[in-house]
Amino acid sequence: AGKKSAATKGNNALTPPDRLTWAGWVEMESEPAFFNVMLKDMGVCGIKVNEVWSLEDDDLAMLPQPVHALIFLFRYQATDKTKLETECPKQVWYAEQVPDFACATFAILNIVNNIPGLEMGTELRNFKKFTQDMTPRLRGDAIDDFAFVKQIHNSFARDEDLLQADLHLKDKLAK
């Protein structure tokens, strides 16, 4: 947490941080192909993300069944972390989104952790078990520290994306 993410060269040009130790989350495109690769890399089997352009009955009927969830996309807005703390029923696994730019990953985790009998990789299965009795806020904090998922999320990033995310965090801290 106290490490510098980006290093500077002698000419003041930034070099991208090491992806394996970088603590941030990059903003990623909401692209079903990315979501499906993330699911595969997390060891999730048996579900697929499809793009939907309409909520009309005819359009939804075209989707492979069963439909477990819908992910709605909105423009990014900063979250006031002091106002997070949602209660949810004990049988529902829900995590508050704590870090900026992790929307896709939080949506995926909130979905897959609620599908009974879904095949998941060992890391994800152990994480769900570890966080089962936590509050949504604490689950969000746990995801923010979950290097396995963070590395999968950030694997789609270009070097410029990592640097841009660092600038965003620097500006946020300055405020």
Side-chain angles (χ1 to χ4, degrees):
K3 297 179 184 176
K4 266 190 158 177
S5 297
T8 57
K9 296 179 183 175
N11 62 4
N12 287 338
L14 291 175
T15 58
D18 179 1
R19 289 171 189 265
L20 296 178
T21 59
W22 187 62
W25 295 81
V26 295
E27 185 173 17
M28 66 182 284
E29 184 178 349
S30 293
E31 169 60 49
F34 293 167
F35 293 2
N36 287 318
V37 170
M38 289 173 67
L39 288 166
K40 179 181 171 281
D41 290 351
M42 289 181 204
V44 176
C45 297
I47 62 171
K48 181 181 177 192
V49 175
N50 293 285
E51 192 158 34
V52 176
W53 289 93
S54 163
L55 296 178
E56 298 298 323
D57 290 342
D58 292 343
D59 295 319
L60 292 176
M62 303 282 289
L63 294 172
Q65 299 296 316
V67 173
H68 295 287
L70 296 173
I71 300 172
F72 293 92
L73 306 178
F74 298 95
R75 289 188 161 279
Y76 171 78
Q77 289 183 321
T79 304
D80 182 351
K81 305 295 188 268
T82 64
K83 295 182 180 176
L84 291 178
E85 189 62 47
T86 302
E87 295 296 322
C88 67
K90 184 154 180 64
Q91 71 275 14
V92 174
W93 193 99
Y94 173 73
E96 288 280 5
Q97 183 181 332
V98 175
D100 294 339
F101 304 137
C103 310
T105 298
F106 272 72
I108 286 171
L109 292 174
N110 281 324
I111 293 166
V112 301
N113 283 311
N114 285 292
I115 300 174
L118 182 65
E119 184 179 330
M120 292 189 255
T122 304
E123 293 90 348
L124 207 53
R125 194 172 45 254
N126 290 342
F127 182 79
K128 179 181 179 182
K129 187 176 180 181
F130 171 71
T131 59
Q132 190 62 49
D133 293 326
M134 292 181 178
T135 65
R137 173 60 194 255
L138 290 176
R139 285 183 188 139
D141 289 334
I143 293 170
D144 194 22
D145 292 333
F146 192 17
F148 171 75
V149 166
K150 189 181 293 188
Q151 288 172 8
I152 291 169
H153 174 99
N154 289 333
S155 69
F156 299 96
R158 299 168 299 169
D159 289 346
E160 305 86 62
D161 298 330
L162 299 173
L163 293 169
Q164 187 64 35
D166 273 349
L167 288 174
H168 169 78
L169 290 173
K170 181 180 175 185
D171 290 343
K172 191 174 180 176
L173 288 172
K175 291 179 183 177

